[in-house]
Amino acid sequence: MIDTHAHLNTEEFKDDLDACILRAIEHNIEHIIVIGMDEASNQRAIEIAESYDFVYASVGIHPGFVDQGNTEHLSNLLKHPKVVAIGECGLDFYWTKENIEKQKDIFIKQIELAVESKYPLVIHTRNSFTEAYDLIKPYQGKVTGVFHCFSSNVDDAKKAIDLGFYIGIDGPVTYKKALETFELVKNIDLKHLLIETDSPYLAPVPFRGKRNEPSYVRFVAEKIAEIKEVSLAEVIKQTSLNAKMLFNIGGNL
Ligand code: NI
């Protein structure tokens, strides 16, 4: 399994990162992608990726950090051999709509950086799928990536896939009330899905409410297998292949 979205670069992991990484290895996590959100966490993501062979980093400015940060430092970080993507970037209209123009500006800069550098985008949207889609649409064919922790409906997922993007599925798929995510997983082919934890957030059942960690990505994979009525092995095989292709990791395919 590959956890394609983990914030191991946050405070929550400062005391037991090694132990978390060990548990991930014990649970057959083949790779982890550590996701940055601002300049400091981007740097920390790279440090962690340097410390563990099977861990990679993604660097970007999260929409929640656009007021404090800018994208100027990113192109330099993209030269690092363990950096495999740009993000987390995108739009978040749930927390605030007061800085929409700033959010859009910083997101567009990262889309253009992705076009230029050929790195995939790790995109965050919350109450903002349509606006994010509209910003990416002009670059269709020149950029790829994942709509991480996808929280919209099947129609929007199909639009994202048509743009050449993957759909990221996280812990909420295991929650009882996640009917929309259930429908989404049921109706979207495995070849378009990635599994993620978004650690330390959004822990799946049976750890809901606790700190999330990469080894728990198995609960997401198991739920997808259950919903799609396929074997767990099939889910792991296809989502790992998807992640390896998108992020160009794990050697030859
Ligand atoms: Ni995230």
Side-chain angles (χ1 to χ4, degrees):
M1 278 163 280
I2 299 181
D3 180 1
T4 56
H5 197 113
H7 301 283
L8 298 181
N9 45 356
T10 50
E11 278 286 291
E12 283 85 344
F13 292 100
K14 80 176 193 324
D15 296 328
D16 66 342
L17 182 62
D18 279 329
C20 275
I21 296 271
L22 259 181
R23 279 194 294 276
I25 294 170
E26 280 164 9
H27 286 94
N28 298 318
I29 307 303
E30 197 184 350
H31 297 291
I32 301 169
I33 301 180
V34 179
I35 310 285
M37 299 195 278
D38 63 0
E39 191 162 356
S41 65
N42 289 335
Q43 206 58 59
R44 178 70 187 134
I46 291 176
E47 271 170 36
I48 297 170
E50 282 173 342
S51 310
Y52 306 95
D53 257 6
F54 73 115
V55 177
Y56 296 89
S58 176
V59 296
I61 302 290
H62 185 284
F65 292 89
V66 295
D67 290 329
Q68 303 93 298
N70 63 52
T71 57
E72 277 151 32
H73 68 291
L74 294 179
S75 19
N76 203 29
L77 297 186
L78 287 177
K79 293 178 194 148
H80 191 284
K82 296 300 289 287
V83 171
V84 296
I86 297 170
E88 171 165 1
C89 58
L91 302 173
D92 191 319
F93 297 165
Y94 176 82
W95 288 110
T96 180
K97 282 186 163 184
E98 275 166 28
N99 59 1
I100 285 183
E101 287 317 308
K102 180 93 192 204
Q103 287 194 38
K104 286 186 172 176
D105 176 55
I106 297 274
F107 184 33
I108 291 169
K109 283 190 176 136
Q110 291 174 91
I111 298 170
E112 288 179 344
L113 192 58
V115 170
E116 209 177 286
S117 65
K118 309 262 193 286
Y119 280 91
L121 286 166
V122 176
I123 297 177
H124 167 106
T125 62
R126 195 155 178 206
N127 297 355
S128 58
F129 176 81
T130 305
E131 290 83 356
Y133 175 86
D134 289 343
L135 293 184
I136 301 167
K137 180 80 178 150
Y139 302 93
Q140 184 167 15
K142 294 185 194 148
V143 67
T144 180
V146 53
F147 279 87
H148 129 77
C149 196
F150 196 82
S151 58
S152 196
N153 54 42
V154 176
D155 286 342
D156 283 348
K158 287 182 175 161
K159 287 170 77 178
I161 291 163
D162 285 341
L163 268 190
F165 279 71
Y166 288 87
I167 304 296
I169 305 294
D170 304 55
V173 74
T174 65
Y175 302 169
K176 267 213 176 84
K177 287 187 177 152
L179 294 177
E180 201 164 64
T181 313
F182 185 96
E183 279 307 303
L184 183 80
V185 168
K186 203 168 180 62
N187 288 289
I188 301 294
D189 195 287
L190 262 185
K191 66 175 190 279
H192 304 300
L193 300 184
L194 296 180
I195 53 174
E196 331 178 312
T197 58
D198 208 13
S199 302
Y201 319 110
L202 299 174
V205 172
F207 295 105
R208 188 172 183 181
K210 306 251 165 59
R211 184 190 71 175
N212 201 357
E213 62 170 62
S215 68
Y216 299 168
V217 79
R218 69 187 188 276
F219 298 108
V220 176
E222 279 167 8
K223 192 68 189 184
I224 293 174
E226 184 192 317
I227 294 170
K228 296 189 88 60
E229 299 178 27
V230 298
S231 68
L232 177 60
E234 170 80 22
V235 172
I236 293 172
K237 187 177 158 209
Q238 187 63 51
T239 56
S240 297
L241 182 66
N242 297 344
K244 288 176 183 179
M245 288 196 298
L246 179 63
F247 297 109
N248 195 20
I249 55 174
N252 294 329
L253 292 170

